[in-house]
Amino acid sequence: MDADEFTVEAVERALQQLYYDPDMDKKNVAQKWLTQAQASPQAWHFCWALLRPDKVPEIQFFGASTLHAKISSHWSDLPPGQLDSLRSQLITQIGQFASGPKLVLTRLCVALASLVLHVLAETWPTAVPDLLCAFQTGESVTEADGQARCLALLELLAVLPEELQSSRIPASRRSQLRSALAVDWSSVCSLLQQLLQRPDAPCPVRERVLRCVSSWLTLDIALKDSEGLLESCLALLKESELFDTAVETIVSIISQPDCQRFADSLLKVVPQVLGLQEQLKKAVQDGDMETLDIMIYMHHQSPINNSLQVDHWQGFQALVSMIMSCTGTPGHYPVDETSSSLTLTFWYTLQDDITSLDAERQTLYLQIYRPVYFQLVDVLLQKACFPRDEDYAAWSADDKEQFKTYRVDISDTLMYVYELLGPELLRSLYDKLGTLLTDTTHPSSWQDIEALLFGFQSIAETVDVSYSDVIPGLIGLIPLITANNVQLAETIMFTIGSLAEWLADHSLMLASVLPVVLHGLSNADLSVACVSALKRICRECRHDLHLHANDIMAVSQAVLVKDIHKSPQCMWIMQALGFLLSALPSDEILGKLLSLVTPHIQQLEKLANEPPSSANKLPIVHILGLLSDLFSTFDLNKQSERSEVMRPVQTQPHHNNPVVVVLQQAFPLIQTILSKWLNEPEVVEAVCAVFEKSLKTLLHDFAPLVTQLCELIGQMFSAYPQASALDLTRQLVHIFGCEKDLFSPIIALLELITNITMSIFQLGSRDHPDVVESFMQLHTQALRRKSDLYLSDRLDIKAVFYCGILSFKFPEAPTLKATCLLFTELISHCEEIPAVREVLQEDGKLLLQTLLEAIGGQSPRSLAEHFAEVLFSASCNCPSMLSVWLREALLPPGFPSSHLTTEYKEHFCQQILREQVSKRRMKDIVKEFALLSRGLQGTEYAANY
């Protein structure tokens, strides 16, 4: 196919090849050629020939698509003086295709819509009224030709706002066109309303009208300008064939952002909504909840400020009652019904409306609505009830998961409702629970008890219940509950856990609930709930658990040895024990710690002596994880802080921290493990985690291990460089970088790591983005914490600089962010570190070139603000050098993008050099540079950037 011969015949041959040739290569060639044909000047001519009635629909469709492509993307190619002819031809073609094919008609309408958008504001301001006149004839919409022309007009009206939304138009132009179209809404609305109200209008016409309404509402049409349409749409809900479309349209109308401003318009349709009550009941029974959607949206948008008017109060109360009945839809979600969840947001909105009123009105509304919200709590707890055991057992896994999510939504709602009802809600729940547990004349089901506990837990989870007078009674009731069901037992555990902070202030009550938790710890079915409760109690009540420590330790050690729980829950148990042990009297800690860790270390020793295999890797990682989590919460500093409050004397530094003692004893074992597993990242990461978590908790108490650990990290990184070793080194630098006694091993480790990482860059670092990222973060931390490390000849900051330059070539966002942080910090030290100043003088231009390439298109646009931080640092710390770098780097034509003019480059230089105060302004400058470099300035993307 010759690109010079874009004739009708050639296009038809290419379409034949595209649609019917079985050879994919030939199809691709045809597709490419046809795209070129659409972009050619000849397309303005051959498209009309392709639309002739004797052509098959595929060819006609391509002709219509070509018209749209030319108008939307090649408008400037339109021959002078051809606008009127193009417009009249399009209108004629739409009339001819009014009866179909539908695909061709729609494409022609989209093409005409695109033309309207090009000329509406300037040369054809009466486009919409003119089109209404052009397509309206004296023929009845019930006659075939009249109906077809009516449907064609409605199709054109529907696609007009849609084309505005989908076209790549600058934001300012889009806003101008939206306003211009909105001016014509009154004439469009009048036509649409006439069609909806005509009793003889066919169903397809009215359905197309509804679609047209939804489309024009995207132009932010005010509710007051759509009152009549809203009433007409509500009337259509009686017609089953139009119900779904009418629902969608009504929701669109009453969901407009400014609906609250037009209270009167909404009040007018409340009686119509109330008239749907019987239809609603039937919809609930049938599981058809679109009608419910309408009422929820209606009341969402109904201003509560007006709901006490005499004429409307009863109507609003009726609406609330209708929605309450929907919230309490009979049956279990999601097996028997799926509609009740749709109503939950309504109660949030109503509550927000009440609490936003002034004090006098709020008092009045609370008198009215508090009983409603107490009723809502009863309804929600009933909906949260589990089904009978045999029914629940038959549910699918997906049904159970959906029910779990539904209960979370109910829990969130109850928590929010507490803000309205306050402690009286807890009192109500407590009274009901007490009645269930003590009334022997009416045996209660476990489901009812569980639901009430679920209510307590939902509130206590996030609300401060310390002032409630019913919590002691609740704690007393819990041991009375016979938890012979997993769901009930889980909720008991979660409830106890949610009260952990309260228990910290009422430690005498621990004796009532702790045995319940410890008893459940041996039940694998209660794993998550029970272990979570134990962890929360140990964290919040650690200083009051001395009397219970032996019991907690014994039960915990027993379940760990028996492997009752999965790995994550075992980690939680160790965290709980870390909290517990660190708060015990100092003379007891080491003995109990050793008794806890010794079995695990012995098991680790046994595994270390075995040949490496996949079978023993997982247990090694698991045991190392247990130790990590234990040490992560073993914080004697918290104990010291409490001691200072309780007894502000005799606080001794922890020279022999028990964790340090354990780690010193285990150090040879860890070295043995590493010697065999050095090439296994999971094992190395687990070893590093043991030390890193200990380091974060112990802080300066970790000092006795620093020299040994530096040597170990050096051995690890020399044999097999991994990011986890670099992250551990970063923690060492952060905590001990300023310790003179530990200066030597840390700088030796930094030197070794830097040299090894340099060799990685020389050999090819592309396969190690995580190592590069951690290396950048390490040196950033070192510069921040102790920049004088780089005054030594042993640390080559220039090598770090050039590694950073190479890192800018990486596509991974985290690596690029870390590199930006490094250069931002490094440049800030250009005056105090001679080596930094030298490397910037020598190759600052290279840094800037690399940075501008990244901003201009090499790196993700989302990172522009991080690149801006580097430029801001340079502008503040070395402006004279930056001035030279900028002008030299931007001098070559086309760098970093052909989209940038010489004038803009100079303007950019001046902006950068002038900005030394506002980081936000610098980020805006860099974002603009990035958009211009990519040719995106003025696009929809840029408007949202």
Side-chain angles (χ1 to χ4, degrees):
M1 294 180 184
D2 190 340
D4 294 330
E5 296 184 359
F6 293 126
T7 63
V8 175
E9 294 76 14
V11 170
E12 290 192 35
R13 286 196 303 272
L15 287 169
Q16 180 76 16
Q17 185 171 305
L18 176 67
Y19 289 132
Y20 302 111
D21 197 310
D23 189 330
M24 285 305 300
D25 290 336
K26 290 183 178 180
K27 284 180 179 287
N28 292 334
V29 169
Q31 177 70 56
K32 184 177 180 181
W33 187 89
L34 287 167
T35 302
Q36 293 173 351
Q38 283 188 321
S40 71
Q42 295 96 310
W44 288 112
H45 306 288
F46 70 63
C47 61
W48 302 111
L50 298 176
L51 286 166
R52 288 202 302 260
D54 59 331
K55 302 296 182 184
V56 296
E58 291 90 341
I59 291 176
Q60 293 172 334
F61 180 77
F62 184 77
S65 297
T66 299
L67 267 172
H68 177 245
K70 296 302 292 181
I71 294 171
S72 61
S73 304
H74 303 279
W75 181 249
S76 59
D77 296 344
L78 181 68
Q82 294 296 307
L83 173 58
D84 289 345
S85 173
L86 175 63
R87 178 173 59 194
S88 61
Q89 282 183 283
L90 264 172
I91 293 173
T92 300
Q93 289 289 344
I94 290 174
Q96 292 176 353
F97 281 93
S99 299
K102 177 67 164 57
L103 282 174
V104 181
L105 172 64
T106 299
R107 210 71 195 142
L108 287 170
C109 289
V110 172
L112 182 53
S114 185
L115 183 148
V116 169
L117 297 179
H118 275 295
V119 298
L120 177 65
E122 291 80 18
T123 60
W124 196 16
T126 59
V128 174
D130 290 350
L131 291 171
L132 292 178
C133 291
F135 284 94
Q136 290 188 73
T137 67
E139 298 167 309
S140 169
V141 295
T142 59
E143 297 174 7
D145 290 344
Q147 180 177 335
R149 290 184 64 82
C150 181
L151 288 171
L153 173 59
L154 291 171
E155 182 69 18
L156 175 60
L157 290 174
V159 300
L160 190 52
E162 292 169 1
E163 180 68 4
L164 177 62
Q165 292 296 108
S166 61
S167 298
R168 292 174 66 93
I169 302 174
S172 58
R173 172 73 174 170
R174 187 185 303 278
S175 178
Q176 180 188 18
L177 290 172
R178 183 182 287 113
S179 300
L181 285 175
V183 168
D184 294 315
W185 169 242
S186 58
S187 55
V188 174
C189 180
S190 177
L191 169 66
L192 299 179
Q193 194 163 345
Q194 288 175 28
L195 290 172
L196 283 182
Q197 292 176 345
R198 287 188 62 164
D200 60 341
C203 183
V205 170
R206 290 190 291 171
E207 189 164 13
R208 193 73 58 85
V209 168
L210 294 173
R211 182 197 158 200
C212 200
V213 172
S214 297
S215 178
W216 277 74
L217 288 173
T218 61
L219 302 176
D220 299 330
I221 304 297
L223 177 62
K224 68 180 178 60
D225 298 325
S226 309
E227 278 184 20
L229 274 174
L230 178 57
E231 293 179 17
S232 298
C233 290
L234 283 164
L236 293 179
L237 293 175
K238 303 293 185 182
E239 302 185 28
S240 58
E241 66 273 18
L242 292 172
F243 183 86
D244 290 345
T245 313
V247 167
E248 293 172 7
T249 307
I250 294 167
V251 168
S252 297
I253 294 174
I254 63 178
S255 299
Q256 293 298 297
D258 63 348
C259 269
Q260 291 283 0
R261 291 171 42 221
F262 304 107
D264 291 340
S265 298
L266 285 167
L267 292 173
K268 290 177 184 178
V269 297
V270 167
Q272 284 180 276
V273 176
L274 291 175
L276 298 169
Q277 189 156 6
E278 290 305 315
Q279 197 171 348
L280 170 66
K281 290 179 181 178
K282 185 176 186 303
V284 171
Q285 293 170 359
D286 298 342
D288 181 10
M289 297 315 299
E290 287 89 345
T291 307
L292 173 59
D293 259 336
I294 297 171
M295 271 167 291
I296 296 170
Y297 274 107
M298 266 301 304
H299 212 301
H300 274 189
Q301 306 302 331
S302 301
I304 191 172
N305 296 3
N306 296 309
S307 63
L308 275 180
Q309 296 176 12
V310 175
D311 295 339
H312 304 294
W313 173 244
Q314 289 183 335
F316 277 94
Q317 288 294 84
L319 275 175
V320 172
S321 297
M322 288 171 70
I323 295 174
M324 182 73 79
S325 68
C326 294
T327 304
T329 301
H332 289 284
Y333 184 99
V335 174
D336 303 315
E337 58 89 12
T338 57
S339 60
S340 56
S341 62
L342 300 174
T343 66
L344 297 182
T345 53
F346 163 76
W347 301 108
Y348 285 87
T349 305
L350 178 59
Q351 182 173 331
D352 287 342
D353 286 341
I354 295 170
T355 54
S356 66
L357 297 173
D358 57 70
E360 183 178 352
R361 283 185 174 186
Q362 190 175 135
T363 301
L364 175 61
Y365 275 83
L366 285 175
Q367 290 176 357
I368 297 165
Y369 278 108
R370 278 176 67 86
V372 173
Y373 272 87
F374 273 110
Q375 180 189 355
L376 173 65
V377 171
D378 292 339
V379 169
L380 291 176
L381 292 180
Q382 183 60 42
K383 294 298 295 180
C385 277
F386 279 89
R388 294 181 306 171
D389 292 338
E390 56 271 26
D391 293 337
Y392 189 68
W395 282 16
S396 68
D398 184 56
D399 288 338
K400 291 178 180 178
E401 187 61 32
Q402 286 190 56
F403 183 59
K404 181 180 178 181
T405 302
Y406 178 65
R407 279 169 55 99
V408 170
D409 293 338
I410 290 177
S411 175
D412 292 341
T413 309
L414 291 171
M415 175 196 71
Y416 205 70
V417 169
Y418 179 82
E419 296 180 15
L420 188 78
L421 300 181
E424 191 178 340
L425 173 55
L426 291 179
R427 166 60 65 183
S428 172
L429 294 176
Y430 172 71
D431 289 343
K432 290 174 182 177
L433 181 62
T435 301
L436 286 177
L437 293 174
T438 57
D439 186 359
T440 56
T441 59
H442 298 89
S444 57
S445 68
W446 71 261
Q447 288 93 338
D448 293 332
I449 296 171
E450 190 278 337
L452 287 168
L453 284 174
F454 173 75
F456 266 112
Q457 181 235 327
S458 299
I459 296 165
E461 196 67 60
T462 52
V463 175
D464 181 8
V465 296
S466 58
Y467 299 105
S468 172
D469 59 352
V470 304
I471 302 301
L474 173 64
I475 296 292
L477 288 176
I478 285 176
L480 302 179
I481 301 172
T482 303
N484 51 9
N485 177 277
V486 171
Q487 286 81 26
L488 174 58
E490 272 190 336
T491 303
I492 292 172
M493 297 303 169
F494 282 129
T495 303
I496 293 172
S498 70
L499 296 172
E501 289 186 37
W502 184 90
L503 288 167
D505 296 325
H506 305 81
S507 56
L508 291 177
M509 304 300 291
L510 282 166
S512 298
V513 294
L514 197 55
V516 177
V517 175
L518 294 179
H519 177 73
L521 206 59
S522 59
N523 187 342
D525 293 332
L526 302 178
S527 183
V528 173
C530 195
V531 174
S532 173
L534 178 66
K535 179 183 171 182
R536 294 176 74 168
I537 288 174
C538 288
R539 182 182 63 213
E540 303 299 335
C541 311
R542 70 183 82 175
H543 299 293
D544 302 299
L545 291 174
H546 184 207
L547 295 177
H548 309 282
N550 289 334
D551 292 338
I552 295 173
M553 288 283 294
V555 175
S556 299
Q557 286 177 281
V559 298
L560 287 170
V561 169
K562 294 176 183 176
D563 286 332
I564 290 174
H565 302 283
K566 294 180 180 178
S567 184
Q569 282 68 56
C570 292
M571 305 300 168
W572 291 0
I573 291 175
M574 292 303 260
Q575 289 175 20
L577 296 178
F579 288 126
L580 173 69
L581 291 172
S582 60
L584 293 178
S586 55
D587 58 341
E588 297 181 21
I589 294 177
L590 182 58
K592 283 188 166 54
L593 178 61
L594 288 173
S595 72
L596 173 62
V597 301
T598 297
H600 301 292
I601 290 178
Q602 289 173 346
Q603 178 66 16
L604 195 61
E605 193 170 12
K606 178 184 175 184
L607 291 166
N609 292 326
E610 296 175 1
S613 68
S614 57
N616 54 21
K617 183 178 78 170
L618 285 179
I620 287 175
V621 171
H622 174 72
I623 294 172
L624 290 170
L626 292 177
L627 297 176
S628 297
D629 282 272
L630 173 65
F631 298 154
S632 71
T633 57
F634 195 100
D635 190 357
L636 294 182
N637 294 311
K638 295 288 185 183
Q639 186 188 53
S640 297
E641 289 171 13
R642 181 178 174 88
S643 299
E644 288 173 13
V645 175
M646 304 293 288
R647 301 181 299 278
V649 291
Q650 297 180 346
T651 56
Q652 300 294 325
H654 311 296
H655 294 299
N656 294 309
N657 189 294
V659 173
V660 173
V661 173
V662 171
L663 287 174
Q664 286 174 326
Q665 293 180 8
F667 214 91
L669 173 58
I670 291 173
Q671 288 176 309
T672 301
I673 292 170
L674 282 175
S675 68
K676 294 184 176 182
W677 293 91
L678 204 50
N679 293 332
E680 284 290 338
E682 288 181 65
V683 176
V684 174
E685 287 174 12
V687 168
C688 289
V690 172
F691 291 109
E692 187 173 359
K693 291 184 178 181
S694 304
L695 189 55
K696 286 179 178 179
T697 307
L698 301 181
L699 300 176
H700 293 279
D701 284 355
F702 193 87
L705 289 164
V706 169
T707 302
Q708 277 180 289
L709 183 57
C710 286
E711 292 175 2
L712 183 64
I713 295 172
Q715 293 167 8
M716 281 194 295
F717 202 76
S718 299
Y720 191 81
Q722 286 189 212
S724 54
L726 292 169
D727 295 336
L728 179 54
T729 305
R730 178 157 50 91
Q731 290 299 324
L732 282 171
V733 170
H734 177 66
I735 296 170
F736 295 106
C738 296
E739 297 283 339
K740 291 182 179 179
D741 296 341
L742 301 171
F743 186 90
S744 180
I746 289 177
I747 194 171
L749 178 59
L750 262 178
E751 179 188 3
L752 175 65
I753 281 176
T754 302
N755 291 335
I756 294 171
T757 307
M758 281 175 57
S759 66
I760 293 175
F761 273 95
Q762 290 167 356
L763 295 172
S765 56
R766 182 64 199 91
D767 295 332
H768 307 282
D770 56 335
V771 172
V772 173
E773 178 190 345
S774 294
F775 181 70
M776 297 294 125
Q777 293 171 338
L778 169 60
H779 279 282
T780 302
Q781 184 68 265
L783 282 164
R784 286 176 181 167
R785 191 68 176 154
K786 191 169 179 60
S787 59
D788 56 1
L789 287 171
Y790 297 92
L791 296 174
S792 163
D793 293 335
R794 296 169 60 187
L795 267 181
D796 189 352
I797 190 63
K798 292 185 179 181
V800 177
F801 177 91
Y802 293 115
C803 289
I805 295 291
L806 293 173
S807 300
F808 272 131
K809 306 294 183 181
F810 278 65
E812 288 83 5
T815 305
L816 289 169
K817 289 179 184 179
T819 305
C820 288
L821 287 172
L822 170 70
F823 278 110
T824 301
E825 189 65 34
L826 184 143
I827 292 170
S828 70
H829 295 281
C830 65
E831 292 299 325
E832 63 194 72
I833 304 177
V836 171
R837 186 166 59 253
E838 289 172 15
V839 74
L840 288 174
Q841 288 171 341
E842 293 169 7
D843 274 316
K845 177 184 171 183
L846 174 62
L847 167 61
L848 198 69
Q849 285 175 326
T850 308
L851 193 63
L852 292 175
E853 284 178 347
I855 297 171
Q858 191 180 75
S859 299
R861 295 184 291 270
S862 59
L863 297 174
E865 63 181 52
H866 298 282
F867 297 132
E869 295 272 2
V870 182
L871 285 172
F872 188 77
S873 182
S875 181
C876 293
N877 295 287
C878 49
S880 58
M881 286 193 284
L882 177 62
S883 176
V884 176
W885 304 337
L886 272 172
R887 289 187 166 84
E888 289 184 359
L890 289 171
L891 185 60
F895 178 85
S897 165
S898 59
H899 294 288
L900 303 178
T901 64
T902 303
E903 293 75 17
Y904 177 76
K905 289 182 182 181
E906 179 58 30
H907 175 63
F908 175 71
C909 291
Q910 293 173 2
Q911 285 183 302
I912 294 293
L913 295 170
R914 199 164 46 235
E915 196 51 69
Q916 297 181 355
V917 177
S918 171
K919 285 186 179 181
R920 172 49 51 198
R921 174 64 186 142
M922 180 67 83
K923 290 175 182 178
D924 290 339
I925 294 167
V926 172
K927 284 181 179 180
E928 181 185 42
F929 183 87
L931 290 169
L932 279 169
S933 298
R934 293 169 163 87
L936 294 173
Q937 188 72 354
T939 63
E940 179 68 14
Y941 172 82
N944 298 321
Y945 186 52

